Amino acid sequence: WQGIIPRIVEDIFNYIYSMEENVEFHIKVSYFEIYMEKIRDLLDTTKTNLPIHEDKFRVPYVKGVTERFVGSPEEIMDVIGEGKSNRAVSVTNMNEHGSRSHSVFQLSISQVN
């Protein structure tokens, strides 16, 4: 069984691979967590307490978060693995390896031409 993210990633790339060759896409990902009311970049752990802003269309974004360009489902899963290893975890009454944070994985796709 696969989770929702691997299935969505596979569908996205299957769609892109089915397009005409002259159509180009840029795909970038970011991964961060909210832990103790602070936003921390999971791809660059030196970036902590990142601020939230809104763009001109009032869409919220995390200023300064690492964005990586990716070109395959495997690259996306590698980024997720890297970010998961940087999450804040501690023992809870319910789970020996529980996470005390909320993580956000963001995938952005834009068609270039």
Side-chain angles (χ1 to χ4, degrees):
W1 293 87
Q2 283 187 329
I4 187 126
I5 291 175
R7 284 192 246 168
I8 289 171
V9 167
E10 188 175 317
D11 284 349
I12 288 168
F13 277 92
N14 284 339
Y15 178 77
I16 289 172
Y17 296 150
S18 74
M19 300 293 293
E20 296 178 21
E21 285 187 30
N22 63 340
V23 178
E24 184 179 345
F25 292 89
H26 286 172
I27 304 168
K28 60 185 175 179
V29 296
S30 59
Y31 199 13
F32 57 92
E33 72 177 344
I34 303 166
Y35 179 64
M36 296 181 65
E37 299 184 23
K38 292 184 167 76
I39 298 174
R40 189 168 75 96
D41 193 325
L42 292 173
L43 303 179
D44 181 352
T45 56
T46 64
K47 296 179 179 179
T48 59
N49 205 17
L50 296 170
I52 297 174
H53 290 278
E54 287 184 348
D55 67 13
K56 63 184 177 183
F57 302 108
R58 300 189 49 87
V59 175
Y61 69 95
V62 177
K63 185 175 183 178
V65 73
T66 301
E67 295 180 317
R68 294 221 185 128
F69 284 95
V70 292
S72 70
E74 294 79 20
E75 284 183 50
I76 290 176
M77 298 314 295
D78 288 346
V79 169
I80 290 172
E82 178 185 345
K84 281 174 78 172
S85 69
N86 291 326
R87 289 194 66 195
V89 294
S90 63
V91 175
T92 67
N93 289 335
M94 298 294 289
N95 186 344
E96 184 177 330
H97 301 287
S99 173
R100 298 273 178 136
S101 68
H102 299 279
S103 66
V104 178
F105 179 76
Q106 186 172 352
L107 186 138
S108 173
I109 306 167
S110 57
Q111 184 176 333
V112 179
N113 53 355

